[in-house]
Amino acid sequence: MSLKNKLHELKLKYKDKKMAPAFNAIHTFLYLPNEVTHSGAHVRGADDLKRTMNTVIMALVPCLIFGIFNAGYQYYTAINGVPENFSLFEHFVNWENFALGASKVLPLVVVSYVVGLAVEILFAVKKKHEVEEGYLVTGMLVPLIVPIDTPLWMLAIAVIFGVVIGKEVFGGTGMNILNPALTIRAFLFFSYPGWMSGDKVWVHSAIEKSGVDALSGETVLGYLANSKPMSYSVSDMFFGFIPGSIGETSTLLILLGGLFLIFSKIGSWRIMLSATLGVLVMGLIFNGVVDAGWIKESSKFYALMNFEFWQHLLVGGIAFGIVFMATDPVTASQTNKGKWIYGFLIGFISILIRVFNPAYPEGVFLAILLMNVFAPTIDHYVVQGNIKKRLKRLKVKTA
């Protein structure tokens, strides 16, 4: 007898036991369920929630692997200085970078999944329903959007808060109004701001212990917010050889992941495109303000306002947020017109927060959470507008 059939027999045998949801979750994670529809009208499709979640995870894996190498690269660059005649395989893709990065990143991934799934299983057992696969993606997103040295206990507390308050109190997967991963990130930022922002949280803290002060580990946005001279090229920003949250630095890999989600029909191209347009429009407005001479160079907003409008997409978490979080099918707008409005406002507000809040130059997560709240309202007015248009057409035909 195969392992799959044996597990299925055990699943049937203990289906009425208290811990059945926990066992079923393990069975479903390893294998497809041995169940099919038996009666009634139904549509047969190759996709289900688990396949959808796994597709998103596949799009995230390249960002995770790159983030592991980049964690080591930023550490050794801060100690030894920027390498001359940079070589990808000599200076970036090597064992030392991977070993250091893995030692810091993989524990974050493990804690995110273990704690998050434990909370999900606890609620499933208490409410006597099956464990849903929604946390599969959240568990991967969380470690990719936090600084490299986030304490594991701190991450565990944030995950518990995010899963309970961000999802379970609303009824679980598919019922939440806020993106759980962003709820976790927001909890970390507002509860432990010293660990989430500043110029020394983006590179492994062993740099400070070594007594080396070659680089502070500040991000591009940190340089701009403090009006410091830029030391990174456009290619560095595009490919991701810069400090930042673990999975957010490589715009190239994020772009490829976005195209993969669009091709697989998981992510909404309308939200991605409209959010990108919102970023560019707001960036152009600020560039125009600077060009018109309406703001002085001594202003603390000058550097971020003067930053090339299209380069905003290459730094910070804005590209990552647009591709992997703004497109969350549960918390985003559901109507096609609503998706255009929802996405545009996310991009527009993200740059607004980034420029006018130097203490928090990365505004995409707050913008997405804000629009999560207003997404139902946007859809409501879109639907009401369509109803009014149809009523008008009906009156014209019957007149």
Side-chain angles (χ1 to χ4, degrees):
M1 180 181 294
S2 67
L3 177 61
K4 178 181 179 180
N5 291 334
K6 182 64 176 178
L7 288 174
H8 184 63
E9 284 188 3
L10 292 174
K11 178 180 177 181
L12 296 176
K13 181 178 180 181
Y14 296 104
K15 65 179 182 179
D16 296 325
K17 301 296 183 180
K18 185 176 182 180
M19 293 302 293
F23 180 84
N24 294 345
I26 298 173
H27 178 272
T28 305
F29 178 78
L30 295 174
Y31 301 103
L32 293 174
N34 290 350
E35 298 176 2
V36 295
T37 51
H38 300 287
S39 62
H42 54 270
V43 177
R44 297 182 183 273
D47 60 329
D48 56 17
L49 184 58
K50 185 168 75 172
R51 286 190 178 94
T52 299
M53 298 297 104
N54 287 338
T55 302
V56 179
I57 291 175
M58 285 190 286
L60 288 167
V61 166
C63 296
L64 173 66
I65 296 174
F66 184 91
I68 290 174
F69 280 106
N70 193 47
Y73 172 74
Q74 295 300 327
Y75 169 76
Y76 289 113
T77 297
I79 292 179
N80 303 320
V82 179
E84 296 182 4
N85 302 320
F86 175 82
S87 170
L88 179 63
F89 291 99
E90 180 181 353
H91 298 114
F92 190 84
V93 184
N94 59 54
W95 169 248
E96 288 184 345
N97 290 344
F98 181 82
L100 179 80
S103 69
K104 299 301 299 180
V105 175
L106 295 184
L108 296 174
V109 177
V110 171
V111 169
S112 174
Y113 272 115
V114 170
V115 175
L117 291 176
V119 175
E120 293 258 2
I121 290 173
L122 180 63
F123 271 84
V125 170
K126 186 68 176 177
K127 295 182 177 180
K128 298 180 181 180
H129 65 69
E130 294 296 323
V131 178
E132 296 164 326
E133 293 89 346
Y135 192 79
L136 290 178
V137 170
T138 302
M140 181 63 73
L141 285 172
V142 170
L144 295 181
I145 60 176
V146 298
I148 184 70
D149 276 332
T150 304
L152 298 182
W153 65 266
M154 190 181 295
L155 181 65
I157 293 174
V159 167
I160 293 172
F161 176 89
V163 175
V164 174
I165 304 300
K167 184 165 67 171
E168 293 298 340
V169 296
F170 293 102
T173 300
M175 304 297 290
N176 51 291
I177 63 171
L178 298 175
N179 185 293
L182 291 181
T183 305
I184 293 169
R185 181 65 169 79
F187 176 85
L188 284 170
F189 177 78
F190 291 110
S191 299
Y192 310 101
W195 287 91
M196 295 296 114
S197 60
D199 62 351
K200 294 182 180 179
V201 304
W202 310 109
V203 176
H204 180 33
S205 63
I207 294 170
E208 299 176 18
K209 298 176 184 178
S210 68
V212 177
D213 194 28
L215 291 175
S216 66
E218 198 164 12
T219 63
V220 174
L221 295 177
Y223 280 113
L224 295 172
N226 292 291
S227 300
K228 295 181 179 179
M230 181 64 62
S231 60
Y232 298 104
S233 65
V234 172
S235 62
D236 287 338
M237 293 186 287
F238 178 71
F239 290 110
F241 306 126
I242 56 176
S245 295
I246 295 165
E248 298 174 351
T249 60
S250 179
T251 307
L252 172 63
L253 293 179
I254 294 170
L255 175 62
L256 294 177
L259 293 175
F260 177 68
L261 293 180
I262 292 172
F263 177 77
S264 57
K265 298 182 180 180
I266 300 297
S268 169
W269 65 268
R270 292 179 178 86
I271 293 177
M272 295 184 196
L273 179 57
S274 60
T276 301
L277 291 175
V279 170
L280 298 178
V281 169
M282 191 72 258
L284 274 171
I285 291 173
F286 283 133
N287 285 173
V289 169
V290 172
D291 293 340
W294 295 345
I295 185 170
K296 298 179 180 179
E297 290 191 30
S298 58
S299 172
K300 63 181 179 180
F301 305 123
Y302 180 84
L304 281 165
M305 281 189 172
N306 194 43
F307 193 48
E308 287 287 342
F309 69 97
W310 57 273
Q311 291 185 19
H312 278 286
L313 292 166
L314 306 182
V315 297
I318 198 161
F320 190 90
I322 288 173
V323 170
F324 294 110
M325 295 181 172
T327 56
D328 177 11
V330 176
T331 56
S333 289
Q334 305 300 311
T335 60
N336 286 339
K337 184 181 291 186
K339 289 176 181 178
W340 285 104
I341 300 170
Y342 170 85
F344 183 85
L345 289 176
I346 285 176
F348 195 88
I349 296 172
S350 295
I351 304 303
L352 199 64
I353 297 174
R354 173 180 286 187
V355 170
F356 286 126
N357 190 352
Y360 188 56
E362 185 50 79
V364 63
F365 298 128
L366 292 179
I368 295 174
L369 285 173
L370 177 65
M371 295 315 301
N372 283 167
V373 175
F374 283 100
T377 304
I378 293 173
D379 285 336
H380 170 76
Y381 282 105
V382 169
V383 171
Q384 291 301 312
N386 289 336
I387 292 174
K388 290 180 180 179
K389 288 181 181 178
R390 293 181 181 183
L391 289 174
K392 287 182 180 179
R393 287 200 297 265
L394 180 62
K395 289 180 179 179
V396 171
K397 289 182 179 180
T398 55

